[in-house]
Amino acid sequence: MKLNLNIEPLENWLTANNQPLLISGPCSAETEDQLLTTAHLLAATGKVSVLRAGIWKPRTRPGEFEGIGSIGLEWLKRAKAETGLPTAVEVANAKHVEEALAAGVDILWIGARSTVNPFTVQEIADALKGHDVPVLIKNPVNPDLQLWIGAIERINKAGISKIGAIHRGFSSFEKSSFRNEPMWELAIQLKTLCPDLPIINDPSHICGNRELIPYISQKALDLDMQGLMIESHLDPSVAWTDAKQQLTPAAVSELMDRLTVREPESKNEAFVDKLAELRKQIDKIDDLLLQKLGERMSIVEKIGEFKRDNQVTVLQVSRWDEILKKGTAFAKALKLDELFTEKFLELVHGESIRKQTEILNAGKVTKEGIAAEQHTEVKA
């Protein structure tokens, strides 16, 4: 079901100097000289459309650098006057909104730590009423699509139609190469629910280190995201915050030159015809897959009834191990990704367990209990 949002097309309120759209600047405005020098170097590349800088920095623990504060807005104003670049800052409360608008900031963004709190988002939304300013909304820290959607809806209901989302990845207990797991599927779901919503990728916060930024940037563009937000510092080695994930302006320029920009559609008739033919083949196979899954679940129901009549438990671990080993081995021979295969088999097996449990416990458990369990499985 599509979201009912009033969203203006990105090109109506933000002109890209180059393709793809690039928002860049220091993680934190530290000194006037640091911000102005970085701004001039970025502007000189001709590739940056918006200058960003952190003025207020929500830190995990007290005592860490929490941003230069309101004085940084004056530095941004001067940077805009000297470079011609529109400016963007993060706001986390009504006071931030008021000060940023009074200083002539062109674009506001709501950070991940704010998006996660509906009270904070509503306070910002209330402060925005009556203003015509673009607002970008980062995904929440935790992987909760509804929180992300809720924040977008609150800002939209405040009368803001110039809205974009920022995909910056999600926190995870599991350690990986990324600072925040991309979880691309959540950004894709958001785009599916609201096709008109521009989504900008933040590879700096996903990666947490500059080495991975080119890979994530290219993947974001290949997934038809409308631009990138990349942190840049004239000398990242001495940056006061997030030094490892910032690039020099020169490195930003080099990165943009190496990226391949692809179009979401092609006007080449031969391409369109061939793609349509291949998609028809995919559709037929998908229909067969669903048909076979339906047949499998019919047999699962018979197994559930057979187990019920013979007082046998739903789960036999040895059987699951057998399915997993056989399935992954076969998939490997078919050159299918092992992780994908495991996830697919787990989903199918989970549904089989649910169906058999429902049959074994028919009349013994409440419909509410079954519904709650199904909801939990879907969220998981």
Side-chain angles (χ1 to χ4, degrees):
M1 185 175 180
K2 304 297 184 186
L3 295 176
N4 185 23
L5 298 174
N6 176 27
I7 304 290
E8 285 192 45
L10 182 66
E11 58 270 19
N12 284 6
W13 51 271
L14 184 56
T15 302
N17 292 341
N18 216 321
Q19 290 295 330
L21 168 71
L22 176 60
I23 300 172
S24 190
C27 174
S28 299
E30 300 164 357
T31 67
E32 185 172 18
D33 182 64
Q34 169 255 2
L35 179 59
L36 289 173
T37 302
T38 303
H40 279 283
L41 290 171
L42 287 171
T45 68
K47 299 178 175 68
V48 178
S49 298
V50 179
L51 174 67
R52 57 140 290 157
I55 302 299
W56 302 282
K57 303 294 296 181
R59 311 308 295 170
T60 302
R61 300 179 64 183
E64 297 177 345
F65 176 61
E66 296 185 335
I68 204 69
S70 304
I71 186 64
L73 295 172
E74 296 302 316
W75 305 344
L76 267 179
K77 188 185 294 186
R78 182 177 170 188
K80 176 182 176 179
E82 294 183 5
T83 66
L85 290 175
T87 56
V89 300
E90 178 180 351
V91 293
N93 56 45
K95 186 172 184 294
H96 291 170
V97 173
E98 293 163 4
E99 291 191 21
L101 293 177
V105 174
D106 299 284
I107 299 171
L108 308 182
W109 85 79
I110 300 175
R113 296 171 189 252
S114 298
T115 306
V116 79
N117 187 339
F119 289 110
T120 299
V121 176
Q122 189 59 55
E123 178 184 339
I124 294 170
D126 291 342
L128 286 167
K129 287 179 179 177
H131 296 282
D132 182 29
V133 60
V135 179
L136 305 176
I137 303 160
K138 287 196 174 187
N139 62 251
V141 174
N142 55 309
D144 189 328
L145 181 61
Q146 293 306 309
L147 271 177
W148 200 2
I149 291 172
I152 294 167
E153 289 176 328
R154 288 176 188 275
I155 299 302
N156 197 218
K157 286 182 178 180
I160 303 298
S161 59
K162 300 171 183 176
I163 295 178
I166 301 178
H167 170 237
R168 51 81 77 192
F170 303 86
S171 293
S172 172
F173 288 113
E174 297 178 6
K175 298 296 181 183
S176 76
S177 301
F178 300 111
R179 176 180 177 181
N180 294 293
E181 290 298 319
M183 297 187 186
W184 301 101
E185 64 274 14
L186 290 177
I188 292 170
Q189 287 178 46
L190 180 63
K191 189 68 174 176
T192 302
L193 291 169
C194 189
D196 296 331
L197 180 71
I199 300 183
I200 295 167
N201 183 261
D202 178 353
S204 301
H205 279 88
I206 288 177
C207 298
N209 68 77
R210 61 185 63 89
E211 287 76 18
L212 289 170
I213 289 177
Y215 167 75
I216 290 296
S217 298
Q218 185 62 64
K219 184 158 184 176
L221 297 184
D222 290 343
L223 290 174
D224 194 28
M225 293 193 180
Q226 281 63 59
L228 303 168
M229 177 183 275
I230 298 177
E231 293 184 344
S232 179
H233 192 290
L234 75 161
D235 185 1
S237 67
V238 298
W240 296 0
T241 55
D242 291 342
K244 293 181 180 179
Q245 69 188 39
Q246 298 194 67
L247 301 176
T248 64
V252 170
S253 181
E254 291 172 11
L255 167 63
M256 301 307 288
D257 286 337
R258 292 198 303 269
L259 294 175
T260 301
V261 181
R262 298 177 173 91
E263 296 295 331
E265 302 289 344
S266 173
K267 295 180 181 179
N268 184 301
E269 291 186 9
F271 169 84
V272 172
D273 291 343
K274 183 63 177 177
L275 185 62
E277 177 188 334
L278 293 171
R279 283 175 171 170
K280 283 183 181 178
Q281 294 177 33
I282 287 285
D283 290 343
K284 287 181 180 178
I285 294 170
D286 285 346
D287 290 343
L288 287 172
L289 281 172
L290 292 172
Q291 179 183 331
K292 292 301 178 184
L293 280 173
E295 292 174 8
R296 187 188 193 281
M297 291 307 165
S298 294
I299 297 173
V300 164
E301 290 177 357
K302 292 178 181 178
I303 290 174
E305 293 167 357
F306 194 51
K307 288 180 178 179
R308 178 197 62 199
D309 296 342
N310 288 273
Q311 296 297 307
V312 175
T313 61
V314 169
L315 178 64
Q316 286 85 43
V317 176
S318 59
R319 172 58 177 160
W320 167 237
D321 287 341
E322 178 188 343
I323 292 173
L324 194 58
K325 288 177 183 177
K326 181 181 177 183
T328 52
F330 186 40
K332 187 175 182 181
L334 295 173
K335 297 182 179 179
L336 291 173
D337 180 76
E338 185 176 347
L339 181 60
F340 163 77
T341 303
E342 288 183 6
K343 286 184 176 180
F344 172 74
L345 291 174
E346 285 171 0
L347 280 171
V348 174
H349 186 250
E351 177 63 7
S352 300
I353 292 293
R354 188 194 67 78
K355 277 185 170 291
Q356 291 184 45
T357 302
E358 196 173 279
I359 290 169
L360 262 68
N361 295 305
K364 297 180 181 179
V365 294
T366 64
K367 291 182 180 180
E368 290 79 7
I370 293 173
E373 186 176 353
Q374 290 174 348
H375 179 67
T376 301
E377 288 171 356
V378 168
K379 286 190 73 176

